[in-house]
């Protein structure tokens, strides 16, 4: 049985601007229009505190603008938004979900402001304690995914390392994932139980399903396990789970005759029942392939990295039809795909990924309609009644703040470490659990 880490985890040495000349100027104009418009669009109600949809995610954009452009006004805007988020932490009841709950606010605070040197001055210690207690629930009946489950709490814990409370949280995440793992002849898999299937898919999966999307499925599980291995937290357990999960997921690859390598879901009998209809981060080959590449690099496995790179190259060649992508957000839009392939280019230096990233950024800018939305960008939303409509969305995941972050990463030399939230990169700093 082979072990990981013979070459050690690798990182990009430098981050360089992807776009040049007229394309860079167009991207910067669009970014400036987003910045100008954002203050007029505030998310009302409970979603205002959501990292994915509300003010904390917008704060992340202004934090990176401050770093890249050295503009004090952006730093002040970031501070104001995070102060507002901190007040929400203290006054409002919120769910324990990364994307829409209190861990998301805490993630933004940690990512932007870091950890105080004095432990007794750390405002997030109580969050660590609360989550560590929550994560001891057995059996685990909640979701396991990135958006609102165990994987998301693992992402928060990785961001907080090496704080002792964060190490305990990550240990509990690994333990719960171990308890949920199903052993098969092909490896390990994690099932989404019927009550935790996404509402729009619940009727089709009355017995649950196996989700293969990054946002709600197994690739996220494997990424957090890789983070545990690379940081030395519950590493022995995480290593075995990761190996079994990788083997099972790779066994689900479809043959060449099927356009997609990975289905979005398998039924309760593990038979593919849904396939992606567009390229995206959240579901489909581009997101899955990138995350697998990040996993392989995090644990230093050259054979896995070779497998993942094949999938990444295939996704760039096969999923390139701009007409399939109708808006520009990070989750399932053109700027998200541009950033995804930009991340691959920065890590590998392969021209294919640079060309693919530029093509998607061109499409994102072509979707812009000055005078509409936020900086000319609107989000195509699927409403609960099954209809679609265009909305003015300031958020990080599907809205203008996320588009702004991708454009900034394509035009500046500041590494976009915010994409750890989406598992497009993994934190590599060693932990020192106690």
């Amino acid at each position: 049985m082979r072990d990981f880490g013979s070459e050690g985890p690798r990182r990009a040495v430098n981050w360089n601007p992807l776009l040049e000349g007229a394309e860079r100027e167009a991207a910067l104009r669009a970014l400036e229009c987003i910045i100008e418009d954002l203050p007029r669009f505030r998310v009302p109600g409970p979603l205002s505190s959501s990292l994915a949809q509300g003010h904390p995610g917008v704060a992340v954009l202004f934090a990176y603008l401050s770093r890249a452009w050295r503009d004090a006004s952006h730093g002040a805007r970031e501070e104001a938004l995070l102060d507002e988020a901190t007040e929400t932490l203290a006054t409002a009841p919120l769910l324990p979900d990364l994307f829409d709950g209190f861990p998301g606010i805490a993630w933004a605070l940690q990512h932007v402001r870091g950890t105080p040197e004095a432990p007794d001055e750390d405002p997030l210690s109580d969050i660590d304690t609360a989550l560590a207690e929550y994560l001891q629930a057995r059996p685990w009946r909640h979701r396991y995914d990135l958006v609102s489950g165990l994987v998301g709490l693992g992402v928060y814990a990785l961001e907080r390392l090496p704080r002792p409370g964060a190490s305990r949280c990550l240990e509990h995440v690994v333990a719960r994932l171990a308890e949920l793992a199903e052993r098969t002849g092909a490896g390990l898999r994690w099932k989404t139980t019927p009550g935790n299937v996404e509402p729009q898919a619940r009727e089709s999966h009355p017995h649950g399903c196996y989700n293969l999307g990054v946002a709600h499925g197994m690739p996220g599980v494997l990424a957090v396990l890789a983070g545990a291995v690379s940081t030395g937290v519950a590493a022995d357990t995480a290593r075995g789970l990761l190996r079994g999960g990788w083997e099972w997921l790779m066994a689900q690859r479809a043959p060449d005759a099927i356009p997609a390598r990975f289905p979005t879901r398998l039924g309760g009998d593990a038979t593919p029942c849904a396939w992606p209809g567009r390229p995206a981060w959240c579901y489909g080959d581009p997101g899955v392939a990138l995350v697998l590449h990040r996993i392989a690099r995090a644990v230093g496995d050259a054979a896995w990295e070779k497998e993942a790179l094949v999938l990444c190259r295939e996704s760039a060649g096969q999923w390139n039809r701009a007409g399939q992508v109708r808006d520009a957000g990070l989750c399932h839009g053109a700027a998200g795909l541009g950033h995804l392939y930009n991340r691959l280019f920065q890590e590998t230096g392969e021209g294919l990924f640079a060309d693919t990233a530029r093509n998607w950024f061109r499409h994102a800018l072509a979707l812009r309609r000055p005078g509409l939305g936020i900086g000319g960008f609107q989000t195509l939303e699927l409403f609960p009644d099954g209809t679609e409509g265009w909305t003015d969305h300031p958020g990080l995941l599907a809205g203008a703040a996320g588009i702004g972050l991708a454009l900034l990463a394509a035009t500046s030399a500041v590494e976009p470490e915010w994409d750890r939230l989406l598992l497009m990169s993994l934190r590599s700093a060693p932990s020192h659990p106690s």
Side-chain angles (χ1 to χ4, degrees), residues 195-227:
N196 290 326
V197 174
E198 299 147 273
Q200 64 270 27
R202 199 165 290 167
E203 185 175 342
S204 302
H205 301 288
H207 304 295
C209 67
Y210 298 94
N211 192 305
L212 270 58
V214 175
H216 294 287
M218 268 191 57
V221 172
L222 303 188
V224 162
L225 292 171

PDB file of all heavy atoms in Angstrom, residues 195-227:
ATOM      1  N   GLY A 195     -33.306  12.920   3.635  1.00  0.00           N
ATOM      2  CA  GLY A 195     -33.666  14.224   4.166  1.00  0.00           C
ATOM      3  C   GLY A 195     -32.662  15.316   3.879  1.00  0.00           C
ATOM      4  O   GLY A 195     -32.971  16.506   4.027  1.00  0.00           O
ATOM      5  N   ASN A 196     -31.454  14.939   3.479  1.00  0.00           N
ATOM      6  CA  ASN A 196     -30.407  15.921   3.196  1.00  0.00           C
ATOM      7  C   ASN A 196     -30.156  16.136   1.709  1.00  0.00           C
ATOM      8  O   ASN A 196     -29.263  16.902   1.345  1.00  0.00           O
ATOM      9  CB  ASN A 196     -29.096  15.493   3.880  1.00  0.00           C
ATOM     10  CG  ASN A 196     -29.172  15.632   5.385  1.00  0.00           C
ATOM     11  OD1 ASN A 196     -29.821  16.536   5.902  1.00  0.00           O
ATOM     12  ND2 ASN A 196     -28.512  14.738   6.102  1.00  0.00           N
ATOM     13  N   VAL A 197     -30.918  15.469   0.857  1.00  0.00           N
ATOM     14  CA  VAL A 197     -30.844  15.741  -0.574  1.00  0.00           C
ATOM     15  C   VAL A 197     -31.362  17.156  -0.815  1.00  0.00           C
ATOM     16  O   VAL A 197     -32.320  17.606  -0.175  1.00  0.00           O
ATOM     17  CB  VAL A 197     -31.659  14.705  -1.370  1.00  0.00           C
ATOM     18  CG1 VAL A 197     -31.700  15.067  -2.858  1.00  0.00           C
ATOM     19  CG2 VAL A 197     -31.070  13.311  -1.180  1.00  0.00           C
ATOM     20  N   GLU A 198     -30.747  17.861  -1.745  1.00  0.00           N
ATOM     21  CA  GLU A 198     -31.192  19.218  -2.068  1.00  0.00           C
ATOM     22  C   GLU A 198     -32.676  19.199  -2.439  1.00  0.00           C
ATOM     23  O   GLU A 198     -33.136  18.288  -3.131  1.00  0.00           O
ATOM     24  CB  GLU A 198     -30.373  19.770  -3.228  1.00  0.00           C
ATOM     25  CG  GLU A 198     -28.884  19.870  -2.936  1.00  0.00           C
ATOM     26  CD  GLU A 198     -28.053  19.620  -4.167  1.00  0.00           C
ATOM     27  OE1 GLU A 198     -27.743  18.443  -4.446  1.00  0.00           O
ATOM     28  OE2 GLU A 198     -27.735  20.589  -4.863  1.00  0.00           O
ATOM     29  N   PRO A 199     -33.442  20.202  -2.003  1.00  0.00           N
ATOM     30  CA  PRO A 199     -34.892  20.180  -2.202  1.00  0.00           C
ATOM     31  C   PRO A 199     -35.316  19.932  -3.641  1.00  0.00           C
ATOM     32  O   PRO A 199     -36.256  19.165  -3.890  1.00  0.00           O
ATOM     33  CB  PRO A 199     -35.323  21.572  -1.725  1.00  0.00           C
ATOM     34  CG  PRO A 199     -34.294  21.943  -0.699  1.00  0.00           C
ATOM     35  CD  PRO A 199     -33.010  21.365  -1.211  1.00  0.00           C
ATOM     36  N   GLN A 200     -34.630  20.532  -4.614  1.00  0.00           N
ATOM     37  CA  GLN A 200     -35.052  20.393  -6.008  1.00  0.00           C
ATOM     38  C   GLN A 200     -34.820  18.989  -6.553  1.00  0.00           C
ATOM     39  O   GLN A 200     -35.384  18.617  -7.586  1.00  0.00           O
ATOM     40  CB  GLN A 200     -34.343  21.421  -6.893  1.00  0.00           C
ATOM     41  CG  GLN A 200     -32.835  21.268  -6.988  1.00  0.00           C
ATOM     42  CD  GLN A 200     -32.091  22.051  -5.928  1.00  0.00           C
ATOM     43  OE1 GLN A 200     -32.624  22.308  -4.847  1.00  0.00           O
ATOM     44  NE2 GLN A 200     -30.861  22.454  -6.245  1.00  0.00           N
ATOM     45  N   ALA A 201     -33.991  18.184  -5.851  1.00  0.00           N
ATOM     46  CA  ALA A 201     -33.707  16.821  -6.321  1.00  0.00           C
ATOM     47  C   ALA A 201     -34.317  15.756  -5.426  1.00  0.00           C
ATOM     48  O   ALA A 201     -34.183  14.561  -5.703  1.00  0.00           O
ATOM     49  CB  ALA A 201     -32.191  16.616  -6.414  1.00  0.00           C
ATOM     50  N   ARG A 202     -34.997  16.171  -4.372  1.00  0.00           N
ATOM     51  CA  ARG A 202     -35.458  15.214  -3.365  1.00  0.00           C
ATOM     52  C   ARG A 202     -36.475  14.224  -3.919  1.00  0.00           C
ATOM     53  O   ARG A 202     -36.438  13.033  -3.598  1.00  0.00           O
ATOM     54  CB  ARG A 202     -36.045  15.999  -2.188  1.00  0.00           C
ATOM     55  CG  ARG A 202     -36.141  15.223  -0.896  1.00  0.00           C
ATOM     56  CD  ARG A 202     -36.366  16.173   0.257  1.00  0.00           C
ATOM     57  NE  ARG A 202     -35.164  16.972   0.525  1.00  0.00           N
ATOM     58  CZ  ARG A 202     -35.164  18.048   1.308  1.00  0.00           C
ATOM     59  NH1 ARG A 202     -36.275  18.470   1.853  1.00  0.00           N
ATOM     60  NH2 ARG A 202     -34.031  18.705   1.519  1.00  0.00           N
ATOM     61  N   GLU A 203     -37.369  14.685  -4.763  1.00  0.00           N
ATOM     62  CA  GLU A 203     -38.400  13.801  -5.305  1.00  0.00           C
ATOM     63  C   GLU A 203     -37.788  12.690  -6.157  1.00  0.00           C
ATOM     64  O   GLU A 203     -38.296  11.568  -6.187  1.00  0.00           O
ATOM     65  CB  GLU A 203     -39.395  14.616  -6.136  1.00  0.00           C
ATOM     66  CG  GLU A 203     -40.577  13.802  -6.642  1.00  0.00           C
ATOM     67  CD  GLU A 203     -41.603  14.652  -7.366  1.00  0.00           C
ATOM     68  OE1 GLU A 203     -41.585  15.885  -7.185  1.00  0.00           O
ATOM     69  OE2 GLU A 203     -42.418  14.077  -8.113  1.00  0.00           O
ATOM     70  N   SER A 204     -36.679  13.010  -6.824  1.00  0.00           N
ATOM     71  CA  SER A 204     -36.017  12.018  -7.681  1.00  0.00           C
ATOM     72  C   SER A 204     -35.171  11.026  -6.901  1.00  0.00           C
ATOM     73  O   SER A 204     -34.760  10.004  -7.451  1.00  0.00           O
ATOM     74  CB  SER A 204     -35.124  12.738  -8.714  1.00  0.00           C
ATOM     75  OG  SER A 204     -35.877  13.630  -9.495  1.00  0.00           O
ATOM     76  N   HIS A 205     -34.912  11.318  -5.625  1.00  0.00           N
ATOM     77  CA  HIS A 205     -34.019  10.467  -4.830  1.00  0.00           C
ATOM     78  C   HIS A 205     -34.649  10.170  -3.468  1.00  0.00           C
ATOM     79  O   HIS A 205     -34.134  10.582  -2.428  1.00  0.00           O
ATOM     80  CB  HIS A 205     -32.663  11.134  -4.654  1.00  0.00           C
ATOM     81  CG  HIS A 205     -31.968  11.438  -5.943  1.00  0.00           C
ATOM     82  ND1 HIS A 205     -31.407  10.464  -6.738  1.00  0.00           N
ATOM     83  CD2 HIS A 205     -31.771  12.618  -6.591  1.00  0.00           C
ATOM     84  CE1 HIS A 205     -30.874  11.037  -7.809  1.00  0.00           C
ATOM     85  NE2 HIS A 205     -31.089  12.334  -7.750  1.00  0.00           N
ATOM     86  N   PRO A 206     -35.770   9.453  -3.460  1.00  0.00           N
ATOM     87  CA  PRO A 206     -36.447   9.195  -2.178  1.00  0.00           C
ATOM     88  C   PRO A 206     -35.619   8.322  -1.238  1.00  0.00           C
ATOM     89  O   PRO A 206     -35.879   8.305  -0.026  1.00  0.00           O
ATOM     90  CB  PRO A 206     -37.725   8.476  -2.614  1.00  0.00           C
ATOM     91  CG  PRO A 206     -37.396   7.852  -3.934  1.00  0.00           C
ATOM     92  CD  PRO A 206     -36.463   8.827  -4.590  1.00  0.00           C
ATOM     93  N   HIS A 207     -34.625   7.634  -1.751  1.00  0.00           N
ATOM     94  CA  HIS A 207     -33.778   6.775  -0.920  1.00  0.00           C
ATOM     95  C   HIS A 207     -32.378   7.340  -0.742  1.00  0.00           C
ATOM     96  O   HIS A 207     -31.462   6.640  -0.313  1.00  0.00           O
ATOM     97  CB  HIS A 207     -33.697   5.372  -1.538  1.00  0.00           C
ATOM     98  CG  HIS A 207     -35.036   4.736  -1.759  1.00  0.00           C
ATOM     99  ND1 HIS A 207     -35.888   4.394  -0.722  1.00  0.00           N
ATOM    100  CD2 HIS A 207     -35.679   4.415  -2.919  1.00  0.00           C
ATOM    101  CE1 HIS A 207     -36.992   3.880  -1.224  1.00  0.00           C
ATOM    102  NE2 HIS A 207     -36.898   3.880  -2.545  1.00  0.00           N
ATOM    103  N   GLY A 208     -32.218   8.614  -1.064  1.00  0.00           N
ATOM    104  CA  GLY A 208     -30.918   9.232  -0.964  1.00  0.00           C
ATOM    105  C   GLY A 208     -30.113   9.043  -2.240  1.00  0.00           C
ATOM    106  O   GLY A 208     -30.576   8.446  -3.219  1.00  0.00           O
ATOM    107  N   CYS A 209     -28.891   9.575  -2.254  1.00  0.00           N
ATOM    108  CA  CYS A 209     -28.063   9.492  -3.452  1.00  0.00           C
ATOM    109  C   CYS A 209     -26.599   9.656  -3.080  1.00  0.00           C
ATOM    110  O   CYS A 209     -26.257   9.940  -1.923  1.00  0.00           O
ATOM    111  CB  CYS A 209     -28.475  10.558  -4.474  1.00  0.00           C
ATOM    112  SG  CYS A 209     -28.131  12.253  -3.943  1.00  0.00           S
ATOM    113  N   TYR A 210     -25.770   9.482  -4.079  1.00  0.00           N
ATOM    114  CA  TYR A 210     -24.333   9.740  -3.937  1.00  0.00           C
ATOM    115  C   TYR A 210     -24.005  10.936  -4.827  1.00  0.00           C
ATOM    116  O   TYR A 210     -24.132  10.869  -6.048  1.00  0.00           O
ATOM    117  CB  TYR A 210     -23.519   8.502  -4.338  1.00  0.00           C
ATOM    118  CG  TYR A 210     -23.833   7.320  -3.453  1.00  0.00           C
ATOM    119  CD1 TYR A 210     -24.805   6.382  -3.843  1.00  0.00           C
ATOM    120  CD2 TYR A 210     -23.218   7.163  -2.223  1.00  0.00           C
ATOM    121  CE1 TYR A 210     -25.127   5.317  -3.021  1.00  0.00           C
ATOM    122  CE2 TYR A 210     -23.540   6.098  -1.390  1.00  0.00           C
ATOM    123  CZ  TYR A 210     -24.491   5.179  -1.790  1.00  0.00           C
ATOM    124  OH  TYR A 210     -24.820   4.130  -0.962  1.00  0.00           O
ATOM    125  N   ASN A 211     -23.643  12.029  -4.187  1.00  0.00           N
ATOM    126  CA  ASN A 211     -23.457  13.300  -4.872  1.00  0.00           C
ATOM    127  C   ASN A 211     -21.987  13.458  -5.255  1.00  0.00           C
ATOM    128  O   ASN A 211     -21.107  13.312  -4.404  1.00  0.00           O
ATOM    129  CB  ASN A 211     -23.904  14.449  -3.953  1.00  0.00           C
ATOM    130  CG  ASN A 211     -24.027  15.764  -4.677  1.00  0.00           C
ATOM    131  OD1 ASN A 211     -23.083  16.220  -5.304  1.00  0.00           O
ATOM    132  ND2 ASN A 211     -25.194  16.385  -4.570  1.00  0.00           N
ATOM    133  N   LEU A 212     -21.730  13.782  -6.525  1.00  0.00           N
ATOM    134  CA  LEU A 212     -20.351  13.903  -6.996  1.00  0.00           C
ATOM    135  C   LEU A 212     -19.974  15.339  -7.337  1.00  0.00           C
ATOM    136  O   LEU A 212     -18.956  15.583  -7.981  1.00  0.00           O
ATOM    137  CB  LEU A 212     -20.121  12.998  -8.213  1.00  0.00           C
ATOM    138  CG  LEU A 212     -19.635  11.577  -7.915  1.00  0.00           C
ATOM    139  CD1 LEU A 212     -20.582  10.820  -7.010  1.00  0.00           C
ATOM    140  CD2 LEU A 212     -19.402  10.799  -9.206  1.00  0.00           C
ATOM    141  N   GLY A 213     -20.785  16.315  -6.894  1.00  0.00           N
ATOM    142  CA  GLY A 213     -20.446  17.711  -7.112  1.00  0.00           C
ATOM    143  C   GLY A 213     -19.540  18.247  -6.014  1.00  0.00           C
ATOM    144  O   GLY A 213     -19.558  17.759  -4.885  1.00  0.00           O
ATOM    145  N   VAL A 214     -18.769  19.279  -6.335  1.00  0.00           N
ATOM    146  CA  VAL A 214     -17.882  19.881  -5.333  1.00  0.00           C
ATOM    147  C   VAL A 214     -18.686  20.536  -4.212  1.00  0.00           C
ATOM    148  O   VAL A 214     -18.355  20.404  -3.035  1.00  0.00           O
ATOM    149  CB  VAL A 214     -16.946  20.905  -5.993  1.00  0.00           C
ATOM    150  CG1 VAL A 214     -16.096  21.620  -4.942  1.00  0.00           C
ATOM    151  CG2 VAL A 214     -16.051  20.230  -7.030  1.00  0.00           C
ATOM    152  N   ALA A 215     -19.744  21.239  -4.566  1.00  0.00           N
ATOM    153  CA  ALA A 215     -20.487  22.007  -3.570  1.00  0.00           C
ATOM    154  C   ALA A 215     -21.202  21.128  -2.551  1.00  0.00           C
ATOM    155  O   ALA A 215     -21.281  21.476  -1.366  1.00  0.00           O
ATOM    156  CB  ALA A 215     -21.500  22.926  -4.262  1.00  0.00           C
ATOM    157  N   HIS A 216     -21.726  19.994  -2.989  1.00  0.00           N
ATOM    158  CA  HIS A 216     -22.571  19.180  -2.104  1.00  0.00           C
ATOM    159  C   HIS A 216     -22.149  17.720  -2.010  1.00  0.00           C
ATOM    160  O   HIS A 216     -22.886  16.922  -1.425  1.00  0.00           O
ATOM    161  CB  HIS A 216     -24.021  19.243  -2.592  1.00  0.00           C
ATOM    162  CG  HIS A 216     -24.642  20.595  -2.488  1.00  0.00           C
ATOM    163  ND1 HIS A 216     -25.026  21.150  -1.290  1.00  0.00           N
ATOM    164  CD2 HIS A 216     -24.922  21.519  -3.452  1.00  0.00           C
ATOM    165  CE1 HIS A 216     -25.530  22.357  -1.514  1.00  0.00           C
ATOM    166  NE2 HIS A 216     -25.481  22.606  -2.803  1.00  0.00           N
ATOM    167  N   GLY A 217     -20.995  17.363  -2.575  1.00  0.00           N
ATOM    168  CA  GLY A 217     -20.694  15.949  -2.648  1.00  0.00           C
ATOM    169  C   GLY A 217     -19.299  15.532  -2.253  1.00  0.00           C
ATOM    170  O   GLY A 217     -18.576  16.227  -1.539  1.00  0.00           O
ATOM    171  N   MET A 218     -18.920  14.374  -2.775  1.00  0.00           N
ATOM    172  CA  MET A 218     -17.713  13.681  -2.340  1.00  0.00           C
ATOM    173  C   MET A 218     -16.398  14.386  -2.627  1.00  0.00           C
ATOM    174  O   MET A 218     -15.456  14.253  -1.844  1.00  0.00           O
ATOM    175  CB  MET A 218     -17.686  12.271  -2.943  1.00  0.00           C
ATOM    176  CG  MET A 218     -18.316  11.230  -2.042  1.00  0.00           C
ATOM    177  SD  MET A 218     -17.976   9.547  -2.619  1.00  0.00           S
ATOM    178  CE  MET A 218     -16.185   9.516  -2.655  1.00  0.00           C
ATOM    179  N   PRO A 219     -16.236  15.132  -3.717  1.00  0.00           N
ATOM    180  CA  PRO A 219     -14.952  15.811  -3.906  1.00  0.00           C
ATOM    181  C   PRO A 219     -14.584  16.714  -2.730  1.00  0.00           C
ATOM    182  O   PRO A 219     -13.409  16.810  -2.361  1.00  0.00           O
ATOM    183  CB  PRO A 219     -15.171  16.618  -5.192  1.00  0.00           C
ATOM    184  CG  PRO A 219     -16.185  15.820  -5.948  1.00  0.00           C
ATOM    185  CD  PRO A 219     -17.113  15.281  -4.893  1.00  0.00           C
ATOM    186  N   GLY A 220     -15.588  17.352  -2.126  1.00  0.00           N
ATOM    187  CA  GLY A 220     -15.316  18.174  -0.957  1.00  0.00           C
ATOM    188  C   GLY A 220     -14.828  17.356   0.223  1.00  0.00           C
ATOM    189  O   GLY A 220     -13.933  17.770   0.969  1.00  0.00           O
ATOM    190  N   VAL A 221     -15.418  16.183   0.413  1.00  0.00           N
ATOM    191  CA  VAL A 221     -14.968  15.292   1.482  1.00  0.00           C
ATOM    192  C   VAL A 221     -13.488  14.976   1.312  1.00  0.00           C
ATOM    193  O   VAL A 221     -12.682  15.084   2.256  1.00  0.00           O
ATOM    194  CB  VAL A 221     -15.791  13.985   1.478  1.00  0.00           C
ATOM    195  CG1 VAL A 221     -15.192  12.977   2.452  1.00  0.00           C
ATOM    196  CG2 VAL A 221     -17.243  14.265   1.842  1.00  0.00           C
ATOM    197  N   LEU A 222     -13.098  14.603   0.106  1.00  0.00           N
ATOM    198  CA  LEU A 222     -11.717  14.218  -0.143  1.00  0.00           C
ATOM    199  C   LEU A 222     -10.769  15.401   0.043  1.00  0.00           C
ATOM    200  O   LEU A 222      -9.642  15.236   0.537  1.00  0.00           O
ATOM    201  CB  LEU A 222     -11.575  13.638  -1.546  1.00  0.00           C
ATOM    202  CG  LEU A 222     -12.466  12.437  -1.878  1.00  0.00           C
ATOM    203  CD1 LEU A 222     -12.087  11.852  -3.232  1.00  0.00           C
ATOM    204  CD2 LEU A 222     -12.393  11.364  -0.803  1.00  0.00           C
ATOM    205  N   ALA A 223     -11.211  16.601  -0.324  1.00  0.00           N
ATOM    206  CA  ALA A 223     -10.354  17.771  -0.168  1.00  0.00           C
ATOM    207  C   ALA A 223     -10.072  18.068   1.303  1.00  0.00           C
ATOM    208  O   ALA A 223      -8.939  18.375   1.678  1.00  0.00           O
ATOM    209  CB  ALA A 223     -10.994  18.983  -0.847  1.00  0.00           C
ATOM    210  N   VAL A 224     -11.096  17.997   2.140  1.00  0.00           N
ATOM    211  CA  VAL A 224     -10.878  18.249   3.562  1.00  0.00           C
ATOM    212  C   VAL A 224     -10.012  17.167   4.189  1.00  0.00           C
ATOM    213  O   VAL A 224      -9.153  17.442   5.043  1.00  0.00           O
ATOM    214  CB  VAL A 224     -12.230  18.395   4.296  1.00  0.00           C
ATOM    215  CG1 VAL A 224     -12.067  18.212   5.797  1.00  0.00           C
ATOM    216  CG2 VAL A 224     -12.820  19.768   4.003  1.00  0.00           C
ATOM    217  N   LEU A 225     -10.207  15.936   3.771  1.00  0.00           N
ATOM    218  CA  LEU A 225      -9.335  14.863   4.263  1.00  0.00           C
ATOM    219  C   LEU A 225      -7.891  15.112   3.838  1.00  0.00           C
ATOM    220  O   LEU A 225      -6.961  14.885   4.622  1.00  0.00           O
ATOM    221  CB  LEU A 225      -9.820  13.519   3.736  1.00  0.00           C
ATOM    222  CG  LEU A 225     -11.165  13.029   4.292  1.00  0.00           C
ATOM    223  CD1 LEU A 225     -11.628  11.790   3.527  1.00  0.00           C
ATOM    224  CD2 LEU A 225     -11.078  12.729   5.789  1.00  0.00           C
ATOM    225  N   ALA A 226      -7.687  15.585   2.612  1.00  0.00           N
ATOM    226  CA  ALA A 226      -6.335  15.917   2.170  1.00  0.00           C
ATOM    227  C   ALA A 226      -5.750  17.053   3.003  1.00  0.00           C
ATOM    228  O   ALA A 226      -4.552  17.048   3.328  1.00  0.00           O
ATOM    229  CB  ALA A 226      -6.339  16.296   0.692  1.00  0.00           C
ATOM    230  N   GLY A 227      -6.595  18.020   3.365  1.00  0.00           N
ATOM    231  CA  GLY A 227      -6.131  19.095   4.232  1.00  0.00           C
ATOM    232  C   GLY A 227      -5.694  18.579   5.590  1.00  0.00           C
ATOM    233  O   GLY A 227      -4.695  19.025   6.150  1.00  0.00           O
TER     234      GLY A 227
END
